C-alpha cells in the first residue's frame, strides 16, 4: 500500500509545487497512511474550516425582504435627519429640491441657457404639433387629445424629472398599445365617448403603476423586458403601425381593426380593388418623400438639424393650403382632419370609469402600458444622459412619469412618455435643461388657443406620412445584428417579440418576449453546468480545463466546479451522473480493477458558484457520496455559500463526508495529501 502511494506521490511531484523535497514526500505518505504528523499550516486550515462550518444561521427570506425595504428608505431617513440641523428656510428648500428637481437647476439658470432652451423648445414644438395630432389618430382619439398630451405632461415632468434632454409627449408605440387592446372592449367608431373614458382610465392606472415602481423601488420589474425584447417589439410595432397608416395614405374608408400583418395586408388588397383615392396617395407620398429627404440632409449636415425638425410642420402648412385652395376635399376625395377642438385642456376627472365591468382588463392594459412606456423613457433618458456625462435617477424618473400620467388623466391627456425622435431633436437643438419642455408645452398651448381652426383642411394623408417618417427610427437592424453576434438566446427573445407583434398582436408579442426572457434566465440559472478544473503551471490558480487546455490535472484527484447558481430538482441528477461518468472514464473498466489500483482517490467539488440548494439537490449529493464511497473515492466540498452550508449542516451531510469542507482547493489538497499547494 505504501509503495503504491509512493509511486503516486512521485507523479504528484511533477505537477504540484514543493514536492521534490524528500521531507515533503515523507510528510505526504504519513498523511495518507494515517500518521499523526501534520503540516505546520494544518491548524490554520482547521480553524478556517471551523469558521466555515460554524457560521451563524443565514437570514430568512422574510428578513431579507424586510432588510431590503429598510435599506431602500434608510438613505432617505438619514437625509431628512441631517436636514433637522439646518435652518428652517434651508430645510424647506432642500425638501422641495429633493421632491422637485426644478428647484435645483433653477438656482444656476442663466440667460444664455434660456436662449438655447427657447430655440430647442420652439424646434421641438414644430415637430411635436403634427406628430401629436397623428399619434392621437393612431390611438383612435380625436386630434386635440394628442395636443392636450403635449401640454400638461411636459410641464409636470419639467418639475419632477431629472433628465435634461428627454422630450415628453405621445409616442407611436404607446398609441398603438392603447388602440389595439382597448378597441377589443369598446369600438371607438360606435362609442367614441366610452372609448375615450377607457383610454383616460387606462392612463390613470398606468401612472399609478409607474409612480409605485419608483416609490417602492420596483424598477427591476421594468427590466423584465430585456433590451433585445424591446428592440424586437419596437421593430414589429413599427411595421404594424406603418401598415395601418396605409388607410390614411390610400384614403381607404373601411379598414380592419386587427393589427396583425396578414389581416392588414388583406384589408389593403381588398380596398385597392374597390375604393381608394389616387389624389390622396400622391399627396401623402409627395410629402413623405419631402420629410425623408430633409431627414437625410439633416444627417449629412449637422448644422441643418432644424430642417428635418420643421419639415413635418411645413408639410402640414403647405398641404393644408393646397387642399384649401384647390378644394381637393370636395372634388378630389382627399380626406381632411375637419374640426379640432381648441382651448385649454378640459378637466376629465369625472370621465374616469371605475364602475365599468372592464376594470380588470383596464388595469392589466395599464400595467402593460406602464412597463413599455417606462422602458422606452428610461432607455432614451439614460442614453442621452450618458452622452452629457450625468447620472439619471431611475426611481425619480418613474415617479415623475407616473405622476405626470396620473395628473394627465385628470386633464384629458392619454399616456405620455419620452420620445426618442423628439429627444434627439431636442438634444441636437442644444437644449440645456428641462425648460425646453416648458417652452414646447407653452407653444402647443398657444397653438390650441389660436391655430386649431386653421387645421380644418389638413389632409389625413399628411398625418399618415408624418407617422410613417418617424418609424425607421424604431427599426434598429444594426442592433439586431449586434445582438445575434453576441447572444443567440437574446436574439431569440428579439425574434419572438418581433414576429409575435407582426403575426399575432401586441399582447402576444410582449408575452412572447417576457416568456423567452424568463426561460433564458431559468435555463442559465439551473442549467446542469459542471466543469473540471486544473492548476495553471507555476501558480496556485485552478481554472476550467476546457477553457485553458494547458492546465495540469492533479493525479489521484478529480476537481470539478458547479457552474449553476442553484442545485435543484431540475439539474441535481445530471450533476451526479456527470461526475460518476468522469470517474469511470478515468478508471477505464472499473470491474477489472481493485480498490488499490484505482486512479481517483478524491473528488473535490467546488461550490463557490452555488448560491442555494434544495432538498433534491441535497439528496443527489448524498447519493453521489454513497456511490463514491462504494468505489473507494472520498468527496470533498469547497467553499459552499452561506445558505448552502447551512442546509448541508441541517441535513447532516457534512458529518456524512467526515467534515471535509474547506475554503479553497489548495487547502483541500493540503488536507487530503498532507501537501501545501
Amino acid at each position: 500500500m505504501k509503495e503504491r502511494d509512493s509511486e503516486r506521490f512521485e507523479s504528484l511531484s511533477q505537477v504540484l509545487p514543493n514536492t521534490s523535497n524528500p521531507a515533503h514526500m515523507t510528510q505526504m505518505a504519513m498523511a495518507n497512511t494515517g500518521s499523526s504528523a501534520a503540516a505546520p499550516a494544518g491548524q490554520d486550515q482547521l480553524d478556517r474550516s471551523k469558521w466555515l462550518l460554524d457560521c451563524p444561521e443565514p437570514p430568512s427570506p422574510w428578513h431579507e425582504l424586510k432588510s431590503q425595504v429598510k435599506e431602500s428608505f434608510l438613505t432617505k431617513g438619514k437625509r431628512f435627519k441631517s436636514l433637522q440641523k439646518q435652518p428652517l428656510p434651508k430645510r424647506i428648500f432642500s425638501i422641495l429640491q429633493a421632491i422637485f428637481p426644478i428647484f435645483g437647476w433653477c438656482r444656476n439658470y442663466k440667460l444664455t441657457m434660456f436662449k438655447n432652451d427657447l430655440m430647442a423648445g420652439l424646434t421641438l414644438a414644430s415637430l411635436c404639433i403634427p406628430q401629436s395630432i397623428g399619434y392621437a389618430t393612431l390611438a383612435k382619439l380625436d386630434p386635440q387629445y394628442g395636443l392636450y398630451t403635449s401640454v400638461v405632461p411636459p410641464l409636470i415632468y419639467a418639475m419632477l424629472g431629472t433628465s435634461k434632454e428627454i422630450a415628453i409627449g405621445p409616442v407611436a408605440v404607446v398609441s398603438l398599445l392603447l388602440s389595439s387592446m382597448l378597441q377589443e372592449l369598446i369600438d371607438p367608431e360606435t362609442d367614441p365617448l366610452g372609448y375615450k373614458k377607457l383610454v383616460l382610465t387606462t392612463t390613470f392606472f398606468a401612472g399609478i403603476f409607474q409612480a409605485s415602481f419608483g416609490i417602492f423601488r420596483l424598477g427591476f420589474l421594468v427590466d423584465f423586458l430585456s433590451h433585445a425584447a424591446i428592440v424586437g417589439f419596437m421593430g414589429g410595432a413599427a411595421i404594424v403601425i406603418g401598415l395601418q397608416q396605409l388607410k390614411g395614405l390610400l384614403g381607404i374608408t373601411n379598414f380592419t381593426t386587427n393589427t396583425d400583418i396578414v389581416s392588414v395586408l388583406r384589408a389593403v388588397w381588398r380596398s385597392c380593388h374597390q375604393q381608394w383615392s389616387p389624389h390622396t396617395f400622391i399627396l401623402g407620398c409627395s410629402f413623405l418623400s419631402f420629410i425623408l429627404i430633409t431627414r437625410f440632409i439633416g444627417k449629412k449636415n449637422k448644422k441643418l438639424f432644424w430642417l428635418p425638425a420643421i419639415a413635418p410642420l411645413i408639410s402640414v402648412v403647405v398641404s393644408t393650403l393646397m387642399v384649401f385652395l384647390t378644394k381637393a376635399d370636395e372634388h378630389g376625395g382627399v380626406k381632411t382632419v375637419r374640426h379640432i377642438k381648441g382651448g385649454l385642456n378640459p378637466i376629465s376627472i369625472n370621465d374616469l370609469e371605475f364602475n365599468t365591468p372592464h376594470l380588470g382588463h383596464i388595469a392589466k392594459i395599464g400595467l402593460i402600458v406602464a412597463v413599455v412606456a417606462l422602458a422606452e423613457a428610461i432607455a432614451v433618458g439614460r442614453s442621452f444622459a450618458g452622452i452629457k456625462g450625468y447620472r439619471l435617477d431611475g426611481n425619480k424618473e418613474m415617479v415623475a412619469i407616473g405622476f405626470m400620467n396620473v395628473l394627465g388623466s385628470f386633464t384629458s391627456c392619454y399616456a405620455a412618455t419620452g420620445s426618442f425622435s423628439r429627444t434627439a431633436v431636442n438634444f441636437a437643438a442644444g437644449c440645456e435643461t428641462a425648460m425646453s419642455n416648458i417652452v414646447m408645452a407653452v407653444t402647443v398651448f398657444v397653438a390650441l388657443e389660436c391655430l386649431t381652426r386653421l387645421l380644418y383642411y389638413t389632409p389625413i394623408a399628411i398625418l399618415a406620412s408624418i407617422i410613417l417618417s418617424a418609424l425607421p427610427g424604431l427599426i434598429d437592424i444594426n442592433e439586431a445584428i449586434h445582438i445575434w453576434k453576441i447572444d443567440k438566446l437574446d436574439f431569440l427573445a428579439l425574434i419572438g417579440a418581433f414576429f409575435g407583434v407582426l403575426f399575432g398582436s401586441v399582447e402576444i408579442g410582449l408575452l412572447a418576449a417576457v416568456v423567452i426572457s424568463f426561460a433564458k434566465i431559468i435555463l442559465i440559472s439551473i442549467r446542469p453546468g459542471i466543469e473540471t478544473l486544473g492548476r495553471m503551471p507555476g501558480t496556485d490558480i485552478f481554472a476550467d480545463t476546457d477553457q485553458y487546455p494547458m492546465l495540469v490535472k492533479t493525479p489521484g484527484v478529480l476537481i470539478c466546479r458547479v457552474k449553476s447558481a442553484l442545485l435543484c430538482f431540475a439539474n441535481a441528477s445530471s450533476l451526479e451522473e456527470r461526475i460518476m461518468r468522469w470517474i469511470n472514464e478515468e478508471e477505464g473498466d472499473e470491474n477489472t480493477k481493485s480498490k488499490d489500483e484505482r486512479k481517483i482517490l478524491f473528488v473535490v467539488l467546488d461550490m463557490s458558484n452555488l448560491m442555494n440548494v434544495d432538498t433534491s439537490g441535497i439528496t443527489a449529493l448524498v447519493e453521489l457520496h454513497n456511490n463514491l464511497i462504494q468505489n473507494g473515492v472520498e468527496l470533498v466540498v469547497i467553499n459552499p455559500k452561506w445558505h448552502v452550508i447551512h442546509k448541508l449542516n441541517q441535513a447532516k451531510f457534512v458529518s456524512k463526508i467526515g467534515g471535509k469542507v474547506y475554503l479553497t482547493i489548495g487547502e483541500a489538497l493540503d488536507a487530503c495529501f498532507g501537501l501545501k499547494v
Side-chain angles (χ1 to χ4, degrees), residues 140-202:
K140 304 293 176 66
L141 293 168
D142 293 333
Q144 64 267 19
Y145 289 99
L147 297 175
Y148 293 158
T149 308
S150 297
V151 175
V152 175
L155 292 175
I156 298 172
Y157 180 84
M159 293 187 290
L160 296 173
T162 58
S163 174
K164 301 175 183 178
E165 297 82 22
I166 195 168
I168 297 297
V171 296
V173 174
V174 172
S175 301
L176 174 67
L177 277 172
L178 290 170
S179 62
S180 63
M181 290 190 285
L182 287 177
Q183 69 182 2
E184 297 177 0
L185 304 179
I186 292 182
D187 187 356
E189 299 291 337
T190 58
D191 187 7
L193 181 60
Y195 177 79
K196 181 198 74 172
K197 291 181 178 180
L198 289 190
V199 170
L200 295 176
T201 308
T202 303

Side-chain angles (χ1 to χ4, degrees), residues 270-324:
R270 189 184 302 114
S271 299
C272 287
H273 283 76
Q274 296 174 0
Q275 56 177 2
W276 65 288
S277 173
H279 297 90
T280 301
F281 180 71
I282 294 172
L283 184 68
C285 287
S286 300
F287 283 98
L288 175 61
S289 301
F290 167 70
I291 295 172
L292 293 178
I293 290 171
T294 58
R295 183 166 297 173
F296 177 77
I297 295 172
K299 285 184 178 180
K300 288 293 183 181
N301 189 346
K302 299 298 183 182
K303 293 182 179 179
L304 297 177
F305 68 89
W306 52 269
L307 185 59
I310 66 171
L313 186 61
I314 293 174
S315 300
V316 169
V317 173
V318 174
S319 63
T320 301
L321 286 174
M322 288 175 61
V323 173
F324 174 73

Side-chain angles (χ1 to χ4, degrees), residues 53-69:
L53 295 173
D54 298 338
C55 60
E57 184 176 345
S60 64
W62 168 248
H63 186 269
E64 288 184 344
L65 178 62
K66 198 163 62 173
S67 299
Q68 290 177 0
V69 174

Side-chain angles (χ1 to χ4, degrees), residues 284-558:
C285 287
S286 300
F287 283 98
L288 175 61
S289 301
F290 167 70
I291 295 172
L292 293 178
I293 290 171
T294 58
R295 183 166 297 173
F296 177 77
I297 295 172
K299 285 184 178 180
K300 288 293 183 181
N301 189 346
K302 299 298 183 182
K303 293 182 179 179
L304 297 177
F305 68 89
W306 52 269
L307 185 59
I310 66 171
L313 186 61
I314 293 174
S315 300
V316 169
V317 173
V318 174
S319 63
T320 301
L321 286 174
M322 288 175 61
V323 173
F324 174 73
L325 295 174
T326 61
K327 304 296 182 182
D329 58 327
E330 298 177 2
H331 307 298
V334 176
K335 298 183 182 298
T336 59
V337 172
R338 302 287 179 180
H339 177 67
I340 297 181
K341 184 180 179 181
L344 185 63
N345 297 34
I347 301 300
S348 57
I349 297 178
N350 295 328
D351 289 334
L352 300 181
E353 287 279 355
F354 297 111
N355 296 323
T356 175
H358 304 303
L359 190 63
H361 292 284
I362 294 173
K364 181 193 74 172
I365 296 170
L367 177 61
I368 295 173
V369 170
V371 172
V372 173
L374 280 180
E376 183 174 0
I378 292 177
V380 171
R382 283 177 176 169
S383 61
F384 286 95
I387 296 173
K388 281 289 189 73
Y390 68 92
R391 179 181 173 275
L392 195 72
D393 191 327
N395 290 308
K396 283 188 177 180
E397 286 297 292
M398 294 179 190
V399 172
I401 294 173
F403 273 107
M404 81 179 186
N405 278 322
V406 169
L407 296 178
S409 68
F410 297 161
T411 54
S412 300
C413 304
Y414 75 94
T417 187
S419 166
F420 185 84
S421 60
R422 294 197 295 272
T423 302
V425 169
N426 196 28
F427 175 79
C431 71
E432 297 280 351
T433 64
M435 181 62 74
S436 60
N437 269 299
I438 298 176
V439 173
M440 179 198 71
V442 172
T443 307
V444 175
F445 170 69
V446 172
L448 272 168
E449 286 287 348
C450 308
L451 304 177
T452 52
R453 293 181 181 178
L454 302 179
L455 299 175
Y456 182 90
Y457 291 100
T458 301
I460 300 271
I462 296 304
L463 301 181
S465 65
I466 290 172
I467 294 175
L468 285 169
S469 67
L471 297 182
L474 297 178
I475 304 175
D476 197 342
I477 298 176
N478 292 330
E479 185 63 21
I481 296 173
H482 179 68
I483 292 171
W484 163 259
K485 291 179 179 179
I486 293 178
D487 193 328
K488 300 300 187 292
L489 286 177
D490 257 2
F491 186 77
L492 183 62
L494 184 152
I495 289 297
F498 179 78
F499 285 111
V501 173
L502 210 57
F503 292 99
S505 63
V506 174
E507 304 99 299
I508 292 175
L510 286 173
L511 182 62
V514 173
V515 168
I516 294 173
S517 299
F518 266 106
K520 175 191 172 184
I521 294 172
I522 294 172
L523 182 63
I524 293 175
S525 299
I526 68 174
R527 185 168 51 187
I530 186 170
E531 56 194 9
T532 56
L533 305 182
R535 185 181 61 82
M536 286 191 174
T539 70
D540 295 336
I541 300 173
F542 291 83
D544 183 11
T545 54
D546 291 331
Q547 184 178 0
Y548 304 100
M550 76 291 299
L551 297 181
V552 181
K553 292 187 177 181
T554 306
V557 183
L558 174 63

